[in-house]
Amino acid sequence: MTALRAAALVAVLALAAGCQSDDTTDDPAAAPATTAPAASTAPTDSVEPFAATSTPSASTPAVTAANTAEVCGEVDRLILAGSKKLAADSAAVTRDKETTPDELNDRLKRTIAGLAGDVRKQAARAEDPEIEKLITDVAKQLDGGAKAASPAKWLGETFVDIPPKLARDCHA
């Protein structure tokens, strides 16, 4: 019964992670792309004073490292693939009636630990120090999940917050 609940939770999390990441990622990416050309068509003399008086978040895209979109996109893909793997691990356990809750926990922990390592590699690639810190923090959160006594519980309490956080902060 515990394995079945864990499998259901992970399947829902995987769906939620995919939906939140895809929906939220597209909108912020579209907004700067739409805004940037309008600003660049104005004479450069009028853009510079405007940029100096704008809010810090308005000037952030201009100073974002060249590989930020690539790194953030790869982290999004890793989180989605990790969610699917977690759901597959849980589903496999529900089919195998002999698998114990401890074995499910071990599988989930290994998958989360592997995901943390993959995310950490992307943090190392980030050229923007703020993005590097954000992704490193996500890897640390994943490390916590890999060490959690109940990774299924951790998935429902912490993992679900990671995709919206990345969508909001990594693509800014």
Side-chain angles (χ1 to χ4, degrees), residues 51 55-69 127-131 172:
T55 63
S57 63
S59 62
T60 302
V63 296
T64 300
N67 77 338
T68 295
E127 295 171 2
D128 183 325
E130 290 181 28
I131 297 300

Side-chain angles (χ1 to χ4, degrees), residues 47-74:
V47 172
E48 290 176 1
F50 177 74
T53 60
S54 65
T55 63
S57 63
S59 62
T60 302
V63 296
T64 300
N67 77 338
T68 295
E70 178 185 341
V71 169
C72 290
E74 185 58 27

Side-chain angles (χ1 to χ4, degrees), residues 23-154:
D23 291 342
T24 320
T25 302
D26 290 343
D27 291 340
T34 306
T35 306
S40 65
T41 57
T44 47
D45 290 342
S46 65
V47 172
E48 290 176 1
F50 177 74
T53 60
S54 65
T55 63
S57 63
S59 62
T60 302
V63 296
T64 300
N67 77 338
T68 295
E70 178 185 341
V71 169
C72 290
E74 185 58 27
V75 171
D76 286 344
R77 285 186 287 283
L78 288 169
I79 296 293
L80 181 58
S83 297
K84 289 178 181 178
K85 173 79 168 107
L86 290 164
D89 289 348
S90 296
V93 168
T94 61
R95 287 188 299 270
D96 181 9
K97 303 291 183 195
E98 296 178 16
T99 302
T100 67
D102 287 339
E103 291 171 331
L104 170 62
N105 282 342
D106 289 343
R107 276 190 189 183
L108 295 176
K109 287 179 179 186
R110 281 192 306 271
T111 299
I112 295 168
L115 179 57
D118 291 342
V119 168
R120 193 171 284 103
K121 288 176 188 173
Q122 293 306 311
R125 289 185 54 226
E127 295 171 2
D128 183 325
E130 290 181 28
I131 297 300
E132 179 181 10
K133 182 183 179 333
L134 171 71
I135 297 172
T136 298
D137 289 347
V138 167
K140 288 178 184 176
Q141 284 183 293
L142 292 166
D143 288 335
K147 295 174 185 171
S150 174
K153 183 178 178 183
W154 176 87

Side-chain angles (χ1 to χ4, degrees), residues 1-13 90 94 104 108 152-153:
M1 186 71 161
T2 303
L4 183 59
R5 280 187 273 174
L9 173 65
V10 173
V12 168
L13 292 174
S90 296
T94 61
L104 170 62
L108 295 176
K153 183 178 178 183

